[in-house]
Amino acid sequence: MEVGILQFQNFILMIKHLPCRRSVILLFQIALFFSAKGNPYFSGDTSAPENKLLKYIDPTIGNVAQLLEPTRPTAYLPNQVIRVYPIRKDYLDDEISGFPLTAVSHRLGTVFCIKPSIYPIAPDSWDQKMPYDQDLEITRPWYYSTYLLDEDITVEFSPSKKTGIFRFTFPQGKQRAVLMNTCNDGEASLQIKSGNEISGMETWHGDVKIYMYGVFNAYGKGGLVKNKELKAVQSISGKSARVYIDLPAGCDTIEFRYAISFVSEKQAEINYEKEISKKSFSEVENDAEEIWSDLLSQIQVEGGTESQKRSFYTALYRCHERMVDITEDSFYYSGFNNKINKADRPFYVDDWSWDTYLALHPLRMILHPAQEEDMLQSYVRMFEQSKWMPTFPLLFGDYACMNGFHSSIVFLDAYRKGLRKFDVQTAYEGMRKNAVSATMLPWRNGEKTILDDFYQSHGYFPALPPGTKENVKLVHPFEKRQAVAVTLGASYDDWATAQLAKDLGKMSDFTLFEKRSKNYVNLWNKEQMFFLPKDDKGEWINIDPVFDGGMGGRDYFDENNGWTYLWQVQEDIPGLISLMGGKQAFEDRLDRLFREDLGRSKYVYWNKFPDATALVGQYSMGNEPSFHIPYLYNYTNSPWKTQQKIRLLLSSWFKDDIFGIPGDEDGGGMSAFVVFSSMGFYPITPGIPIYTIGSPVFSKVTISLENGKQFTIIANHCSDINKYIQSSRMNGVQLNTPWFTHEQLVNGGVLELEMGPKPNKKWGIEGDIPDVTIK
C-alpha cells in the first residue's frame, strides 16, 4: 500500500489550497480512490497475483539522462500507436509545454499538442509553459496525471490503441479553455465543428499526413490564430495551425476523446467510434490497466529486492513501446510506397535494428513469437514496396541511421528459433540485395558506391588517414566513414546471410557470403591487438584506437572507441579468441578492458565520446555494442567473472530512480538487456539459438510461453551476496556448461542453479557449446 499512501499525502497537499466546496468533493473522491477498485495504484490483497506486479512499473526511471537522451514517462498500450508524455526537457524541468496526442516515433517527433488554460487567450498563449510539481505527478503505463501549479488544473490521460482520453479539472470561477496546435512545419489544418468536435491534419517528416478527430464532453466557442491575431472562425490551414475552444462556466471537468489515423480523416472518425466514443474515462483506464496486468504476468518472479523488481518490470514495460501496429480496419499507410495498402495481417513500424537486434527482438521471440512473425512480415512488405530491405523502418520509410544491415541478423535468428510464419524466401532476397547492391556508408541509403565496390573486392572498408580531406561526396559530413565499425558489422551481416543461405539450400550464396563473413580478420592488427583501419592501398593507418577518430571516433569506429569494437565479432567468438592467442589471452584482454584507465579526465573523454557512458575501465555499459561483452567470460576458463560483472553492472547502473538508465534507452534496446540479465541468461549471438547463463537477481523466474508451456529458472539461495553459481541442472540433469538452447527453453525446461557467496571456479568450464541442428 506504499504507493497509495504517497498518493494520499499528495491529495492532502492539494486540498490545503482548495475552496471549501471543492475540498468536500475531493475528499469524497479520495474515499473512492482508496477503495480497491477505485484506486488504480492499489496494491492490496483483493486483486489477482498478477495485478500486484503493476506497482513495480515506474515510468520515471531514467527520466534524467547521463549525457544524452532521457527516457519519458510514456503512457501507452503494448506496441500500439498512441504514446503520450508531457513535453519537457526531462524530469528536473519544472515546466510542461503541452501534451502530444501521440509520439509518431520513438524520439523522432510528436503531433497535435493540447493544453488547458484559465487565462485570457492571446496569440502567444500556445507558447506559454506550465509549471508543475513532480511530487504531484502520477505516471503509470495506463494512466498519467499532473497538477499545474499556476493554473490550478489537474490533467489526466489514459491510452487506448489508436485513441486516447484527456480529462482536465478546472478551478471554479476561472475561464476554461483548451488550446491545440500542430507540432511540425509542414502543411496542416484544424477545424472546430459543432462547438465540441475538432478534426485536423498535420504533415510529419515532410510528406506523411496524420489525421485527428476528437470530441469534447461540453460545447464551447472556437477560434484560432491567424497572422498573429485571434479570429472567431472555425478552421485554419497552412504551415502550422493553432485553435482554441472556450468552454462555459460550470464545466469544471472537461474530457476530450480523440483518435489518430495515418489513413484518412474519415478513418480517424471510424477509429474514434470503434474504440472510445462510448467509453468513460474509468473504462478506458481499467481496460488499459488490465492489458498491462496480463502482459506483466507472463513473467513471474520471486525473491530479489523491491528495487530489483522495479527495475525489471519497468524494463519489461519499455520493451513494449515499439514496434507499433499501424493497421486500421485492414488498411495501413506505408511510407515505403507512399500508399494506403490492404492488410492481411498486422503491419508494424518504428524499429531501429542497430539497437534492437541484440536483445529486444530475441526477447520478443520468446515472449511473443507470433507478433514477432508479424513484424518480420512487415519488413518483407517494406522490401516489396520499396525494393530495399530496411534497417530502421519508420512510418515515413527507412530511416538512414547508424551502420550495418542488422535486420538480416534478426531474420536468421527468428528462422533458427522456429519462427516461420513470414515469407522467408523474399526476406532472403532482401538480405542478399542489401549485401551485394546497397551502400554500407553510415547514415546513407541506396545503391552502392565506389567504397562498397572496394569493400567487396578487398574485404575491408577503406579509411582515410587523420587530417585527409574526404573525396567521396556521399560520405556523411558528421558520421564519416566509420571504416572499422562498418567492416566488423558487415562481417556479422554477411555471416547471417550466409547461414540463412545454407539453411535454405542456396549453397553458392553460402560460399560467397561465408567467405565475406571472415573480412573482420583483415583489420586485425596483431601487434597492437586491436581492429585498426587501413587505407585504400592496404597500409595500416597509425592511430590511437582509444581516442583518435574525431567526434565519437567516427572516422574509424562509431560512438565508441577501439576497446569496444575489439569485441564486435559475436558471430565468430572462437575465431576472435584465436586471433588474441587463445583462451587465457582472451580472458586477460577482457580483464584489462574493465580495468584500463581512460588516460585522461572524464570531461575530456566524454567531450569526444558522449555515448560511451557508465564506464567501468574502458567498458561502456551505456551503449548497445557493449551488451554482450561481460558474457564473453563464459568462453574462457572463468565463467564466474561473467556472474560477477553482470551483477556489478546491474546494481551500479540500473537503479530504480530517475538516473536509472546509463545511456540512451533506445525504445527497448537497453531495457531488453536488463530483462534478460536480471532473469539470468542472454542471447550472446543472435542467429545461433543458444543462450548463455549469467547470474539471476531473482530466486525464481517463471516465463509463460505462447505454446502453453513454462520455462523456469530457480536460483536457490540467490541474494545480493550469493551471486556465484556453485552447480546447475537442466531438467534435473547436471549441467556443466553455461549454455542452453532455445529448444530447451520453448519446450518448457527447468534450469536450476545453486548460488553461493564465492565463485566456484570449476563450474562451467567443462564440455562444449551445444551443437544446434536447424530443423
Side-chain angles (χ1 to χ4, degrees):
M1 196 60 186
E2 177 184 358
V3 175
I5 291 172
L6 289 174
Q7 300 308 323
F8 179 81
Q9 293 170 342
N10 291 338
F11 269 108
I12 294 301
L13 287 172
M14 293 170 62
I15 286 172
K16 289 180 180 179
H17 304 286
L18 294 177
C20 179
R21 179 171 171 268
R22 291 197 74 208
S23 298
V24 172
I25 293 172
L26 200 50
L27 282 169
F28 177 72
Q29 291 174 335
I30 292 172
L32 293 177
F33 183 90
F34 281 94
S35 68
K37 295 300 290 183
N39 177 6
Y41 319 102
F42 182 81
S43 57
D45 293 330
T46 62
S47 58
E50 58 267 22
N51 289 341
K52 297 180 183 179
L53 302 179
L54 294 173
K55 69 178 181 180
Y56 293 119
I57 302 180
D58 182 359
T60 68
I61 291 176
N63 279 191
V64 178
Q66 294 276 331
L67 287 177
L68 301 176
E69 291 293 328
T71 61
R72 303 292 178 184
T74 312
Y76 61 92
L77 296 187
N79 303 103
Q80 296 297 335
V81 166
I82 298 299
R83 293 173 281 183
V84 170
Y85 51 78
I87 299 175
R88 61 194 182 205
K89 292 190 289 288
D90 60 20
Y91 182 84
L92 299 179
D93 181 2
D94 70 345
E95 292 183 311
I96 293 172
S97 299
F99 305 91
L101 298 195
T102 195
V104 185
S105 176
H106 176 77
R107 280 185 15 212
L108 291 179
T110 57
V111 289
F112 301 112
C113 187
I114 192 171
K115 63 192 295 186
S117 177
I118 60 169
Y119 304 115
I121 305 300
D124 65 349
S125 295
W126 286 258
D127 302 319
Q128 302 304 312
K129 295 184 179 181
M130 302 170 290
Y132 73 103
D133 186 329
Q134 287 93 336
D135 291 331
L136 298 180
E137 188 175 58
I138 301 170
T139 57
R140 313 300 288 163
W142 62 91
Y143 174 84
Y144 171 84
S145 175
T146 194
Y147 176 69
L148 306 179
L149 292 168
D150 290 356
E151 292 82 359
D152 191 21
I153 296 173
T154 298
V155 178
E156 299 170 275
F157 173 78
S158 192
S160 190
K161 294 180 179 179
K162 293 170 180 67
T163 65
I165 181 170
F166 280 94
R167 183 162 63 192
F168 307 108
T169 302
F170 289 87
Q172 286 187 332
K174 298 287 187 178
Q175 180 175 339
R176 299 161 179 80
V178 177
L179 286 60
M180 184 177 290
N181 61 275
T182 53
C183 303
N184 300 275
D185 294 331
E187 290 294 326
S189 63
L190 287 171
Q191 303 86 34
I192 298 173
K193 310 173 183 178
S194 307
N196 75 326
E197 296 177 74
I198 186 167
S199 63
M201 180 279 294
E202 75 168 292
T203 307
W204 177 72
H205 200 267
D207 63 349
V208 178
K209 289 180 169 55
I210 299 175
Y211 304 90
M212 178 273 299
Y213 174 79
V215 178
F216 292 93
N217 67 334
Y219 290 84
K221 295 180 180 180
L224 54 84
V225 177
K226 188 173 184 179
N227 298 325
K228 298 184 179 181
E229 294 182 357
L230 296 180
K231 303 287 185 180
V233 293
Q234 306 300 299
S235 66
I236 185 172
S237 60
K239 288 294 184 181
S240 63
R242 294 181 170 189
V243 301
Y244 66 91
I245 182 166
D246 264 324
L247 297 154
C251 295
D252 290 351
T253 302
I254 298 299
E255 293 183 345
F256 178 66
R257 294 166 177 79
Y258 70 93
I260 293 292
S261 174
F262 304 132
V263 172
S264 67
E265 182 178 330
K266 179 63 176 177
Q267 185 62 50
E269 292 188 38
I270 293 172
N271 294 344
Y272 171 85
E273 291 294 337
K274 181 179 178 180
E275 282 192 24
I276 206 168
S277 64
K278 295 178 176 58
K279 287 187 177 181
S280 68
F281 190 100
S282 294
E283 287 175 320
V284 176
E285 179 187 355
N286 291 339
D287 288 348
E289 181 181 5
E290 184 176 353
I291 288 170
W292 279 108
S293 178
D294 290 344
L295 185 142
L296 293 193
S297 68
Q298 192 172 0
I299 305 181
Q300 300 276 351
V301 303
E302 298 177 17
T305 66
E306 293 294 285
S307 292
Q308 288 167 336
K309 290 175 183 176
R310 280 162 51 84
S311 293
F312 176 77
Y313 282 110
T314 300
L316 186 59
Y317 141 77
R318 293 208 181 277
C319 287
H320 291 82
E321 185 203 335
R322 58 180 185 162
M323 302 171 75
V324 297
D325 177 7
I326 63 169
T327 314
E328 305 177 52
D329 287 340
S330 300
F331 292 93
Y332 66 93
Y333 169 81
S334 173
F336 292 84
N337 62 2
N338 300 312
K339 294 180 180 178
I340 307 300
N341 301 273
K342 186 82 168 88
D344 56 1
R345 61 197 292 184
F347 186 83
Y348 288 85
V349 296
D350 201 13
D351 192 18
W352 301 354
S353 67
W354 191 89
D355 304 278
T356 58
Y357 85 96
L358 293 159
L360 183 57
H361 278 281
L363 180 64
R364 195 182 295 118
M365 291 174 197
I366 294 172
L367 299 179
H368 317 297
Q371 182 185 62
E372 178 72 11
E373 288 170 326
D374 285 337
M375 292 177 180
L376 294 178
Q377 186 60 23
S378 298
Y379 266 86
V380 172
R381 290 282 180 258
M382 296 167 194
F383 167 63
E384 293 173 330
Q385 293 164 1
S386 69
K387 309 309 177 187
W388 293 105
M389 181 63 74
T391 57
F392 278 65
L394 304 184
L395 181 64
F396 65 76
D398 192 18
Y399 181 33
C401 187
M402 303 306 289
N403 58 63
F405 305 121
H406 296 337
S407 54
S408 296
I409 301 168
V410 179
F411 279 116
L412 173 68
D413 198 33
Y415 185 83
R416 288 189 158 180
K417 289 174 178 173
L419 281 69
R420 304 294 170 84
K421 293 182 181 178
F422 64 94
D423 186 346
V424 65
Q425 295 290 344
T426 303
Y428 177 79
E429 180 185 343
M431 293 165 58
R432 191 186 194 285
K433 185 177 180 183
N434 277 354
V436 300
S437 300
T439 183
M440 295 186 292
L441 278 173
W443 293 73
R444 298 299 191 206
N445 286 340
E447 295 285 348
K448 63 181 180 176
T449 68
I450 57 173
L451 296 177
D452 302 286
D453 289 333
F454 183 96
Y455 177 86
Q456 292 184 19
S457 60
H458 292 79
Y460 68 93
F461 211 68
L464 296 174
T468 304
K469 184 178 180 180
E470 181 57 65
N471 56 9
V472 177
K473 290 183 178 180
L474 281 176
V475 173
H476 194 288
F478 178 78
E479 297 296 337
K480 308 298 184 180
R481 293 191 182 189
Q482 303 178 15
V484 175
V486 166
T487 300
L488 296 177
S491 297
Y492 196 171
D493 297 337
D494 283 340
W495 174 84
T497 305
Q499 295 301 307
L500 188 56
K502 181 176 70 173
D503 294 348
L504 297 178
K506 302 177 186 294
M507 299 313 295
S508 60
D509 278 2
F510 168 71
T511 300
L512 168 66
F513 295 115
E514 173 68 9
K515 180 180 179 181
R516 282 175 43 168
S517 74
K518 303 300 181 182
N519 283 345
Y520 72 90
V521 177
N522 297 329
L523 295 187
W524 177 252
N525 186 301
K526 63 182 180 180
E527 283 75 30
Q528 294 198 44
M529 296 285 284
F530 280 104
F531 290 106
L532 296 177
K534 288 181 179 178
D535 63 19
D536 58 4
K537 298 178 180 59
E539 300 295 328
W540 292 110
I541 297 175
N542 185 26
I543 67 165
D544 173 9
V546 177
F547 204 63
D548 282 349
M551 186 64 181
R554 287 175 171 84
D555 287 333
Y556 313 114
F557 306 107
D558 183 20
E559 299 185 346
N560 304 271
N561 67 13
W563 271 109
T564 297
Y565 279 90
L566 176 59
W567 315 97
Q568 303 307 305
V569 193
Q570 295 103 300
E571 75 281 8
D572 188 15
I573 296 171
L576 181 61
I577 292 172
S578 178
L579 287 179
M580 291 191 187
K583 277 188 177 184
Q584 189 57 54
F586 184 75
E587 180 181 339
D588 292 344
R589 197 72 168 155
L590 276 169
D591 287 344
R592 185 176 170 188
L593 166 73
F594 286 99
R595 296 167 180 166
E596 185 79 0
D597 190 79
L598 293 179
R600 52 195 49 83
S601 69
K602 288 183 178 179
Y603 171 82
V604 171
Y605 184 83
W606 281 332
N607 188 53
K608 180 175 280 191
F609 291 98
D611 293 271
T613 49
L615 294 168
V616 180
Q618 288 281 350
Y619 174 81
S620 167
M621 184 69 259
N623 209 344
E624 280 82 0
S626 297
F627 289 176
H628 74 288
I629 295 174
Y631 289 97
L632 291 175
Y633 280 112
N634 282 347
Y635 286 84
T636 75
N637 289 322
S638 300
W640 64 270
K641 292 182 180 179
T642 283
Q643 300 151 38
Q644 178 192 48
K645 291 294 186 291
I646 288 298
R647 285 294 197 96
L648 174 68
L649 294 168
L650 288 176
S651 64
S652 299
W653 299 117
F654 297 97
K655 303 286 190 182
D656 60 331
D657 59 30
I658 59 173
F659 307 104
I661 296 293
D664 286 353
E665 192 274 335
D666 290 322
M670 185 167 291
S671 290
F673 169 86
V674 176
V675 172
F676 269 119
S677 295
S678 298
M679 292 193 296
F681 64 101
Y682 190 75
I684 193 167
T685 301
I688 299 177
I690 291 173
Y691 303 99
T692 194
I693 299 171
S695 178
V697 302
F698 304 113
S699 59
K700 186 176 182 180
V701 178
T702 304
I703 306 172
S704 296
L705 305 171
E706 280 189 358
N707 62 9
K709 298 180 181 180
Q710 291 183 331
F711 180 71
T712 303
I713 303 157
I714 298 171
N716 295 315
H717 313 297
C718 175
S719 69
D720 286 344
I721 299 299
N722 293 342
K723 59 179 175 282
Y724 294 108
I725 298 172
Q726 307 301 301
S727 63
S728 60
R729 292 176 293 279
M730 176 63 80
N731 298 327
V733 178
Q734 186 174 2
L735 181 68
N736 295 318
T737 63
W739 314 96
F740 63 90
T741 68
H742 182 75
E743 184 177 21
Q744 288 173 311
L745 189 155
V746 297
N747 284 341
V750 176
L751 173 65
E752 187 171 4
L753 309 173
E754 296 294 332
M755 310 298 291
K758 296 179 181 180
N760 175 1
K761 296 182 180 181
K762 295 182 179 180
W763 179 85
I765 63 175
E766 300 177 14
D768 298 321
I769 300 171
D771 183 20
V772 179
T773 301
I774 306 303
K775 298 179 181 178

